[in-house]
Amino acid sequence: MPKAFAQIAFTPAAQTFQDHYGTKEAYAKFLEGEELSGHTIDPDHATFIESMDGFYLSTISETGWPYVQFKGGPRGFLRVLDDRHFAYADYRGNRQYLSAGNISQNARVSLILVNYETQERLKIWGEARIVSLDEDQDFVLGLMPEDYKAEPERAIIIKTLALEWDCPRHIPKRTTLK
């Protein structure tokens, strides 16, 4: 388990539960040492991220409420930009703008990417930034998958703060029809 993940996830409340259920000592080792790990996108992460056709995005409203939304597109609609950033074109949807509104007020996001066929799951915590069409139309349109009939309204760039492969134990095996 990477230190970056443990620093974010192991809050005092989580550690209280770990202590109660006897796992605190086992997880304490992940908080030790000075060197930070698990905050950069390695080649395995990049391959997995770019293979996704959807993911779950959690944002936080300015009133403190979490909001989770499924974001989807053709495989490859998520693009790794470098070892700390990935992005996607945010398409016109139901026009409620809950995720975009939340990101505009609080950059903290959490994502869960799941490959049900291989029973793999990647958790990502990061900070999101909106790039509007007016700000950089070429960048936003450059993220559009070829021949995908959707209207991009903006791009979302996510800076990774922690990445963690999650236990596959309870991921149902499913196959996407192609």
Coordinates of all heavy atoms in Angstrom, one line a residue, residues 33-85:
G33 N 8.3 6.3 7.6 CA 9.3 6.7 6.7 C 9.0 8.1 6.1 O 7.9 8.6 6.2
E34 N 10.0 8.6 5.5 CA 9.9 10.0 4.9 C 9.5 10.0 3.5 O 8.9 10.9 3.0 CB 11.3 10.7 5.1 CG 11.7 10.9 6.5 CD 10.7 11.9 7.3 OE1 10.3 12.9 6.7 OE2 10.4 11.5 8.4
E35 N 9.9 8.9 2.8 CA 9.6 8.9 1.3 C 8.2 8.7 1.0 O 7.5 7.8 1.4 CB 10.5 7.9 0.6 CG 10.4 7.9 -0.9 CD 11.4 6.9 -1.5 OE1 12.3 6.5 -0.9 OE2 11.1 6.6 -2.7
L36 N 7.6 9.6 0.1 CA 6.3 9.5 -0.4 C 6.2 8.6 -1.6 O 7.1 8.6 -2.4 CB 5.7 10.9 -0.8 CG 4.3 10.9 -1.1 CD1 3.4 10.6 0.1 CD2 3.9 12.3 -1.6
S37 N 5.2 7.7 -1.6 CA 5.1 6.8 -2.7 C 3.6 6.7 -3.1 O 2.8 7.0 -2.3 CB 5.6 5.4 -2.4 OG 4.9 4.8 -1.3
G38 N 3.3 6.3 -4.3 CA 1.9 6.0 -4.7 C 1.2 7.3 -5.1 O -0.1 7.3 -5.1
H39 N 1.8 8.3 -5.5 CA 1.2 9.5 -5.9 C 1.4 9.8 -7.4 O 0.8 10.7 -8.0 CB 1.6 10.7 -5.1 CG 3.1 11.0 -5.2 ND1 4.0 10.2 -4.7 CD2 3.8 12.0 -5.8 CE1 5.2 10.7 -4.9 NE2 5.1 11.8 -5.6
T40 N 2.2 9.0 -8.1 CA 2.5 9.2 -9.5 C 1.9 8.0 -10.3 O 1.7 6.9 -9.8 CB 4.0 9.2 -9.8 OG1 4.6 8.0 -9.3 CG2 4.6 10.5 -9.1
I41 N 1.6 8.3 -11.6 CA 1.0 7.4 -12.5 C 2.1 6.6 -13.1 O 3.0 7.1 -13.8 CB 0.2 8.1 -13.6 CG1 -0.9 8.9 -13.0 CG2 -0.3 7.1 -14.6 CD1 -1.6 9.9 -14.0
D42 N 2.2 5.3 -12.8 CA 3.2 4.4 -13.4 C 2.7 3.8 -14.7 O 1.5 4.0 -15.0 CB 3.7 3.4 -12.4 CG 2.7 2.3 -12.0 OD1 1.8 2.0 -12.8 OD2 2.8 1.8 -10.9
P43 N 3.5 3.1 -15.4 CA 3.1 2.5 -16.7 C 1.8 1.6 -16.6 O 0.9 1.6 -17.4 CB 4.3 1.8 -17.2 CG 5.4 2.6 -16.7 CD 5.0 3.0 -15.3
D44 N 1.8 0.8 -15.5 CA 0.6 -0.1 -15.3 C -0.7 0.8 -15.0 O -1.7 0.4 -15.6 CB 0.8 -1.0 -14.2 CG 1.8 -2.1 -14.5 OD1 2.1 -2.4 -15.7 OD2 2.4 -2.7 -13.5
H45 N -0.5 1.8 -14.2 CA -1.7 2.7 -14.0 C -2.1 3.3 -15.3 O -3.3 3.4 -15.6 CB -1.3 3.8 -13.1 CG -1.0 3.4 -11.7 ND1 0.1 4.0 -11.0 CD2 -1.6 2.6 -10.8 CE1 0.1 3.5 -9.8 NE2 -0.9 2.6 -9.6
A46 N -1.2 3.8 -16.1 CA -1.5 4.5 -17.4 C -2.2 3.6 -18.3 O -3.2 4.0 -18.9 CB -0.2 5.1 -18.0
T47 N -1.7 2.4 -18.5 CA -2.4 1.4 -19.4 C -3.8 1.2 -18.9 O -4.8 1.1 -19.7 CB -1.6 0.1 -19.4 OG1 -0.3 0.4 -19.9 CG2 -2.3 -0.9 -20.3
F48 N -4.0 1.0 -17.6 CA -5.3 0.7 -17.0 C -6.3 1.9 -17.2 O -7.4 1.8 -17.7 CB -5.2 0.3 -15.6 CG -6.5 -0.1 -14.9 CD1 -6.9 -1.4 -15.1 CD2 -7.2 0.7 -14.1 CE1 -8.1 -1.9 -14.6 CE2 -8.4 0.2 -13.5 CZ -8.8 -1.1 -13.8
I49 N -5.8 3.1 -16.9 CA -6.6 4.3 -17.0 C -7.1 4.5 -18.4 O -8.2 4.7 -18.7 CB -5.8 5.5 -16.5 CG1 -5.6 5.5 -15.0 CG2 -6.5 6.8 -16.9 CD1 -4.6 6.5 -14.4
E50 N -6.2 4.4 -19.4 CA -6.5 4.6 -20.8 C -7.3 3.5 -21.4 O -7.9 3.7 -22.5 CB -5.2 4.9 -21.6 CG -4.6 6.2 -21.2 CD -3.5 6.7 -22.1 OE1 -2.9 5.8 -22.8 OE2 -3.2 7.9 -22.1
S51 N -7.5 2.4 -20.7 CA -8.3 1.3 -21.2 C -9.8 1.4 -20.8 O -10.6 0.6 -21.3 CB -7.7 -0.1 -20.8 OG -8.0 -0.3 -19.4
M52 N -10.0 2.3 -19.9 CA -11.4 2.4 -19.3 C -12.4 2.9 -20.3 O -12.1 3.8 -21.1 CB -11.4 3.3 -18.1 CG -10.6 2.7 -16.9 SD -11.5 1.4 -16.1 CE -10.7 0.0 -16.8
D53 N -13.6 2.4 -20.2 CA -14.8 3.0 -20.9 C -15.7 3.7 -19.9 O -16.8 4.1 -20.3 CB -15.5 2.0 -21.8 CG -16.1 0.8 -21.0 OD1 -16.0 0.8 -19.7 OD2 -16.7 0.0 -21.6
G54 N -15.3 3.8 -18.7 CA -16.1 4.5 -17.7 C -15.5 4.4 -16.3 O -14.6 3.6 -16.1
F55 N -15.9 5.3 -15.4 CA -15.4 5.4 -14.1 C -16.4 6.1 -13.2 O -17.4 6.7 -13.7 CB -14.0 6.1 -14.0 CG -14.1 7.5 -14.4 CD1 -14.2 8.5 -13.4 CD2 -13.9 7.9 -15.7 CE1 -14.2 9.9 -13.8 CE2 -14.0 9.2 -16.1 CZ -14.1 10.2 -15.1
Y56 N -16.2 6.0 -11.9 CA -17.1 6.7 -10.9 C -16.3 7.8 -10.4 O -15.2 7.7 -9.9 CB -17.5 5.7 -9.8 CG -18.3 4.5 -10.3 CD1 -17.6 3.4 -10.7 CD2 -19.6 4.6 -10.5 CE1 -18.3 2.3 -11.2 CE2 -20.4 3.5 -11.0 CZ -19.7 2.3 -11.3 OH -20.4 1.3 -11.8
L57 N -16.9 9.0 -10.4 CA -16.3 10.3 -9.9 C -17.0 10.8 -8.7 O -18.3 11.0 -8.8 CB -16.3 11.3 -11.0 CG -15.9 12.7 -10.6 CD1 -14.4 12.8 -10.3 CD2 -16.2 13.7 -11.7
S58 N -16.3 11.0 -7.6 CA -16.9 11.6 -6.4 C -16.4 13.0 -6.3 O -15.2 13.2 -6.3 CB -16.5 10.7 -5.2 OG -17.0 11.3 -4.0
T59 N -17.3 13.9 -6.1 CA -17.0 15.3 -5.8 C -17.7 15.7 -4.5 O -18.5 15.0 -4.0 CB -17.4 16.2 -6.9 OG1 -18.8 16.1 -7.1 CG2 -16.7 15.9 -8.2
I60 N -17.3 16.9 -4.0 CA -17.9 17.4 -2.8 C -18.5 18.8 -3.0 O -17.8 19.7 -3.5 CB -16.9 17.5 -1.6 CG1 -16.2 16.1 -1.4 CG2 -17.5 18.0 -0.3 CD1 -15.0 16.2 -0.5
S61 N -19.8 18.9 -2.7 CA -20.4 20.2 -2.9 C -19.9 21.3 -1.9 O -19.3 21.0 -0.9 CB -22.0 20.1 -2.7 OG -22.3 20.0 -1.4
E62 N -20.2 22.5 -2.2 CA -19.8 23.6 -1.3 C -20.6 23.5 0.1 O -20.1 24.2 1.0 CB -20.0 25.0 -1.9 CG -21.5 25.2 -2.4 CD -21.6 26.3 -3.4 OE1 -21.2 27.5 -3.1 OE2 -22.0 26.0 -4.5
T63 N -21.6 22.7 0.1 CA -22.3 22.5 1.4 C -21.9 21.3 2.1 O -22.5 20.9 3.1 CB -23.9 22.5 1.2 OG1 -24.2 21.5 0.2 CG2 -24.4 23.8 0.7
G64 N -20.8 20.6 1.5 CA -20.2 19.4 2.2 C -20.8 18.1 1.8 O -20.4 17.1 2.4
W65 N -21.8 18.1 0.9 CA -22.4 16.8 0.5 C -21.6 16.1 -0.6 O -21.2 16.8 -1.6 CB -23.8 17.0 0.0 CG -24.7 17.3 1.1 CD1 -25.2 18.5 1.6 CD2 -25.3 16.3 2.0 NE1 -26.0 18.3 2.7 CE2 -26.1 17.0 3.0 CE3 -25.2 14.9 2.1 CZ2 -26.8 16.4 4.0 CZ3 -25.9 14.3 3.1 CH2 -26.7 15.0 4.0
P66 N -21.3 14.8 -0.5 CA -20.6 14.1 -1.6 C -21.6 13.8 -2.7 O -22.8 13.7 -2.5 CB -20.2 12.8 -0.9 CG -21.1 12.6 0.2 CD -21.6 14.0 0.7
Y67 N -21.1 13.8 -3.9 CA -21.9 13.4 -5.1 C -21.0 12.5 -5.9 O -19.9 12.7 -6.2 CB -22.2 14.7 -5.9 CG -23.0 14.4 -7.1 CD1 -24.3 13.9 -7.1 CD2 -22.4 14.5 -8.4 CE1 -25.0 13.6 -8.2 CE2 -23.1 14.2 -9.6 CZ -24.4 13.8 -9.5 OH -25.1 13.5 -10.6
V68 N -21.6 11.3 -6.3 CA -20.9 10.3 -7.1 C -21.7 10.2 -8.4 O -22.9 10.1 -8.5 CB -20.9 9.0 -6.4 CG1 -20.2 7.9 -7.3 CG2 -20.2 9.1 -5.1
Q69 N -20.9 10.3 -9.5 CA -21.5 10.2 -10.8 C -20.7 9.2 -11.7 O -19.4 9.2 -11.6 CB -21.5 11.6 -11.5 CG -22.2 11.5 -12.9 CD -22.3 12.9 -13.4 OE1 -21.5 13.8 -13.2 NE2 -23.4 13.1 -14.2
F70 N -21.3 8.5 -12.5 CA -20.6 7.6 -13.5 C -20.3 8.5 -14.7 O -21.2 9.2 -15.2 CB -21.5 6.4 -13.9 CG -20.8 5.5 -14.9 CD1 -19.9 4.6 -14.4 CD2 -21.1 5.6 -16.2 CE1 -19.2 3.7 -15.3 CE2 -20.4 4.8 -17.1 CZ -19.5 3.9 -16.7
K71 N -19.1 8.4 -15.2 CA -18.7 9.1 -16.4 C -18.3 8.0 -17.4 O -17.5 7.1 -17.0 CB -17.5 10.0 -16.1 CG -17.8 11.1 -15.2 CD -18.5 12.2 -15.9 CE -18.7 13.4 -15.0 NZ -19.4 14.5 -15.7
G72 N -18.7 8.1 -18.6 CA -18.4 7.0 -19.6 C -18.1 7.6 -20.9 O -18.4 8.8 -21.2
G73 N -17.6 6.8 -21.8 CA -17.2 7.1 -23.1 C -16.5 5.9 -23.8 O -16.4 4.8 -23.1
P74 N -16.1 6.0 -25.0 CA -15.4 4.9 -25.6 C -14.0 4.6 -24.9 O -13.5 5.5 -24.3 CB -15.2 5.4 -27.0 CG -15.3 6.8 -27.0 CD -16.2 7.2 -25.8
R75 N -13.6 3.4 -25.0 CA -12.3 3.1 -24.4 C -11.2 4.1 -24.9 O -11.2 4.4 -26.1 CB -11.8 1.7 -24.8 CG -12.6 0.6 -24.2 CD -12.0 -0.8 -24.3 NE -12.9 -1.8 -23.9 CZ -13.1 -2.1 -22.6 NH1 -12.5 -1.4 -21.7 NH2 -14.0 -3.0 -22.3
G76 N -10.4 4.6 -24.0 CA -9.4 5.6 -24.4 C -9.9 7.0 -24.2 O -9.1 7.9 -24.5
F77 N -11.1 7.2 -23.7 CA -11.5 8.6 -23.5 C -10.8 9.3 -22.3 O -10.7 10.5 -22.3 CB -13.0 8.8 -23.4 CG -13.6 8.5 -22.0 CD1 -14.1 9.5 -21.2 CD2 -13.7 7.2 -21.5 CE1 -14.6 9.3 -20.0 CE2 -14.2 6.9 -20.3 CZ -14.7 8.0 -19.5
L78 N -10.2 8.5 -21.4 CA -9.3 9.0 -20.4 C -7.9 9.1 -21.0 O -7.5 8.1 -21.5 CB -9.4 8.2 -19.2 CG -10.6 8.2 -18.3 CD1 -10.5 7.1 -17.2 CD2 -10.7 9.6 -17.6
R79 N -7.3 10.2 -20.9 CA -5.9 10.3 -21.4 C -4.9 10.7 -20.4 O -5.1 11.7 -19.7 CB -5.9 11.4 -22.5 CG -6.9 11.3 -23.6 CD -6.3 10.4 -24.7 NE -7.3 10.2 -25.7 CZ -7.6 11.0 -26.7 NH1 -6.9 12.1 -26.9 NH2 -8.5 10.7 -27.6
V80 N -3.9 9.9 -20.2 CA -2.8 10.2 -19.3 C -1.9 11.3 -20.0 O -1.5 11.1 -21.1 CB -2.0 9.0 -19.0 CG1 -0.8 9.3 -18.1 CG2 -2.9 8.0 -18.2
L81 N -1.7 12.4 -19.3 CA -0.9 13.5 -19.8 C 0.6 13.4 -19.4 O 1.5 13.8 -20.2 CB -1.5 14.8 -19.4 CG -3.0 15.1 -19.7 CD1 -3.4 16.4 -19.1 CD2 -3.2 15.0 -21.2
D82 N 0.8 13.0 -18.2 CA 2.2 12.8 -17.6 C 2.1 12.0 -16.4 O 1.0 11.4 -16.1 CB 2.9 14.1 -17.4 CG 2.2 15.1 -16.4 OD1 1.6 14.6 -15.4 OD2 2.1 16.3 -16.6
D83 N 3.1 11.9 -15.6 CA 3.1 11.0 -14.4 C 2.3 11.5 -13.2 O 2.2 10.8 -12.2 CB 4.5 10.6 -14.0 CG 5.3 11.7 -13.3 OD1 4.8 12.9 -13.4 OD2 6.3 11.4 -12.7
R84 N 1.7 12.6 -13.4 CA 0.8 13.1 -12.3 C -0.6 13.6 -12.8 O -1.4 13.9 -11.9 CB 1.5 14.4 -11.6 CG 2.7 14.1 -10.8 CD 2.5 13.3 -9.5 NE 1.5 13.7 -8.5 CZ 1.8 14.6 -7.6 NH1 3.0 15.1 -7.4 NH2 0.8 14.9 -6.7
H85 N -0.8 13.6 -14.1 CA -2.1 14.2 -14.6 C -2.7 13.3 -15.7 O -2.0 12.7 -16.5 CB -1.8 15.5 -15.2 CG -1.3 16.5 -14.3 ND1 0.1 16.7 -14.0 CD2 -1.9 17.4 -13.5 CE1 0.3 17.6 -13.1 NE2 -0.9 18.1 -12.8

